[in-house]
Amino acid sequence: MADTFLLEKTPRGFVPAFPQDADDASAIPMGTQLCVSMPNKSGKANRFFWALMTHAGNALGIDKRSLATELLVKLNRIEAFQFTDGRMQVVPRSIAAMKVDEFRSFLDEAILLLITHHLPDMSRDRLLAEVLRMCGVSYADIMGGRR
């Protein structure tokens, strides 16, 4: 079950925004209280990124968080912490904390890594089209019109 999913407000109340959101919402036990927060200006970028991770992860048989962590580490989007005993801990950077230009650069590199090493039989255009169908957000939407 995802710890974040999107809801859309309708005259009948809040409903899952996309099929994946419906799956995630259905896993929540009846009577559970939820905290709803409004998406920030990067909501579209986050939605696109997590749809990409879900789609590629499903194709690879791994969960979206593991795939995101792997891409962040492989693409050197990490923070290293040194403990008092001298041990180092590597932690992936937060997608949400990235500035727009850094996120765009990371996304381009992540897509390239996915199609060259993880999904070599899938073209970039096909991958982006499938993610658009999943989440309703296009690559151009979050890249300022760039394709």
Side-chain angles (χ1 to χ4, degrees), residues 14 21 33 74 76 78 91 95 104 106 113 135 137 142:
F14 291 100
D21 298 321
Q33 293 184 359
K74 281 185 174 178
N76 201 30
I78 58 172
V91 177
I95 300 296
R104 288 176 175 174
F106 166 69
L113 184 62
C135 70
V137 177
I142 60 173

Side-chain angles (χ1 to χ4, degrees), residues 74-91:
K74 281 185 174 178
L75 296 171
N76 201 30
R77 298 315 196 283
I78 58 172
E79 297 176 17
F81 297 96
Q82 186 167 5
F83 296 107
T84 55
D85 65 3
R87 290 179 299 135
M88 294 294 291
Q89 175 72 36
V90 175
V91 177

Side-chain angles (χ1 to χ4, degrees), residues 73-146:
V73 171
K74 281 185 174 178
L75 296 171
N76 201 30
R77 298 315 196 283
I78 58 172
E79 297 176 17
F81 297 96
Q82 186 167 5
F83 296 107
T84 55
D85 65 3
R87 290 179 299 135
M88 294 294 291
Q89 175 72 36
V90 175
V91 177
R93 297 257 342 258
S94 165
I95 300 296
M98 289 182 185
K99 294 184 177 172
V100 173
D101 289 342
E102 182 183 8
F103 175 78
R104 288 176 175 174
S105 175
F106 166 69
L107 184 61
D108 280 338
E109 292 173 34
I111 290 169
L112 182 61
L113 184 62
L114 283 170
I115 62 173
T116 56
H117 296 315
H118 295 286
L119 303 168
D121 295 334
M122 184 173 291
S123 73
R124 179 181 177 277
D125 288 343
R126 180 174 153 213
L127 178 62
L128 296 178
E130 290 178 7
V131 172
L132 168 62
R133 278 194 297 278
M134 281 181 71
C135 70
V137 177
S138 74
Y139 177 83
D141 288 340
I142 60 173
M143 293 301 201
R146 193 176 51 152

